[in-house]
Amino acid sequence: MTEVMTRRRALVAAPFLLAPAMAHAQGSDRPLRIVVPFPPGGTSDLVARIIQPELQRLLGQVVVVDNRGGAAGNLGADHVAKSAPDGTTVLLTDPGILTTSPSLFARLPYNPATDLDPVSMLIYAPYIMAVHPGMPVRNGAELAAYVKANPGRVNFAHSGVGALNHLTALVVVQHWGGEVTEVFYRGGMLGIQAAATGESQLIVNGATATLPFVTDGRLRAIAVTGPRRLAEIPDVPTFAELGWPAAEAGIWQALMAPARTPAPVVARLHQAFAEALAVPAVKDRLGGLGAAVRTEGPDSLRRWLAGETELWGGIIRARGIRLD
């Protein structure tokens, strides 16, 4: 009986004994650096900055958002992959870059599957397909007919060849039997602004960054991905309602750490980000941007990454898309 009680006491005490070690590994005397591998203003940047104050409160340390854009997000991802696995540097990203880059690039400076450890999924937001208000189309059927009747005359703004929003648009345009002119911008926000000013006419981008431009009239929403219409724009149908492909595509945001980050540190990061996203003000603000909180942990994220890598890799190879 004494031995059993001793074991029980040890199990009860374990979390409290582990906490100082976790805090030390987390490096609470140093800032937590959230690397966003895209320019400011996009979805990853918005999510990081919305939750930053709550993370500082929960972790008791300074939290810094570090934008490191370039190479379709791979510069920032590589920086985190080569950082010390001590919990002081993490990657907050659209995980699409981690699932498409291996098929897009012949050589990457890092391996997304082995050099980064999944921590947590954070949010999901659908894509919005939108056009410049000057376009003579008001719905999906009219847009499809216009693109088909005017091959190459519609500029499609995107933030990177092989990005999921780029691939989604290509699949849909192919379904229409049309052709667009692709225009690359260094970041989703720059593409949105180009479509809003008429420099480009068509965009497919995450709701969190695109919705404000739709609600204030600078863009006209045509359709959204995901299982249901957005409450903020209830008259805009889903891809599925229109019979379009890629109906389940969307912009996810996930948290990754350098490989070999200790499991207790990964668990603490997952917990802190989940708690920050559960704060009502944070959740409401993200919800107002069309995003749903999704804080599945490392195992779930690892499985999702593997499945998406296989799915989109097949599409990339079938279309012969390469970036070298």
Side-chain angles (χ1 to χ4, degrees):
M1 178 67 71
T2 302
E3 183 180 354
V4 171
M5 291 179 64
T6 300
R7 287 178 180 173
R8 286 177 178 171
R9 289 192 186 105
L11 288 171
V12 171
F16 300 96
L17 294 173
L18 184 59
M22 288 171 61
H24 178 72
Q26 186 81 3
S28 59
D29 58 330
R30 291 184 289 161
L32 170 64
R33 189 169 301 277
I34 302 176
V35 174
V36 173
F38 307 108
T43 302
S44 300
D45 183 66
L46 285 172
V47 173
R49 295 185 188 280
I50 287 172
I51 64 178
Q52 178 189 29
E54 293 300 330
L55 286 171
Q56 289 190 150
R57 179 182 63 82
L58 291 164
L59 292 170
Q61 68 185 116
V62 174
V63 177
V64 177
V65 178
D66 182 3
N67 294 90
R68 290 178 178 259
N74 286 302
L75 286 182
D78 181 53
H79 174 78
V80 175
K82 291 179 170 57
S83 295
D86 58 5
T88 62
T89 303
V90 294
L91 179 71
L92 196 161
T93 184
D94 175 349
I97 68 166
L98 307 178
T99 64
T100 59
S101 289
S103 298
L104 288 170
F105 295 90
R107 294 175 296 277
L108 282 175
Y110 73 105
N111 185 326
T114 59
D115 294 340
L116 292 167
D117 282 345
V119 177
S120 179
M121 194 68 84
L122 301 176
I123 68 158
Y124 166 77
Y127 286 141
I128 295 177
M129 176 177 282
V131 297
H132 181 265
M135 282 275 287
V137 300
R138 304 199 68 86
N139 56 52
E142 291 180 359
L143 176 59
Y146 185 88
V147 170
K148 188 174 182 179
N150 297 274
R153 292 183 59 188
V154 174
N155 288 345
F156 161 52
H158 65 87
S159 57
V161 173
L164 293 189
N165 57 338
H166 174 243
L167 295 174
T168 298
L170 292 187
V171 169
V172 173
V173 170
Q174 183 180 43
H175 173 75
W176 296 339
E179 180 184 343
V180 294
T181 296
E182 301 178 31
V183 184
F184 167 71
Y185 295 89
R186 293 179 63 84
M189 182 53 64
L190 294 177
I192 293 172
Q193 292 169 343
T197 61
E199 182 176 291
S200 290
Q201 293 79 47
L202 174 67
I203 191 164
V204 174
N205 203 71
T208 48
T210 311
L211 191 58
F213 287 77
V214 171
T215 55
D216 70 10
R218 285 179 287 173
L219 289 174
R220 177 182 298 142
I222 298 296
V224 299
T225 62
R228 61 186 63 85
R229 297 187 181 194
L230 285 176
E232 294 77 13
I233 44 175
D235 294 333
V236 177
T238 65
F239 279 32
E241 290 177 83
L242 297 173
W244 292 355
E248 295 305 314
I251 187 161
W252 300 82
Q253 295 298 313
L255 190 69
M256 309 290 290
R260 296 174 297 281
T261 298
V265 177
V266 170
R268 176 166 169 77
L269 286 167
H270 175 216
Q271 179 183 353
F273 275 76
E275 289 183 12
L277 286 163
V279 172
V282 171
K283 197 170 184 179
D284 290 347
R285 187 173 175 191
L286 290 169
L289 295 172
V293 172
R294 298 285 299 269
T295 52
E296 294 91 340
D299 292 340
S300 176
L301 178 53
R302 183 176 287 104
R303 289 192 297 271
W304 184 91
L305 288 168
E308 291 291 291
T309 299
E310 182 177 357
L311 170 65
W312 292 106
I315 292 173
I316 290 167
R317 289 188 291 274
R319 296 186 69 91
I321 302 174
R322 293 292 288 180
L323 296 175
D324 294 315

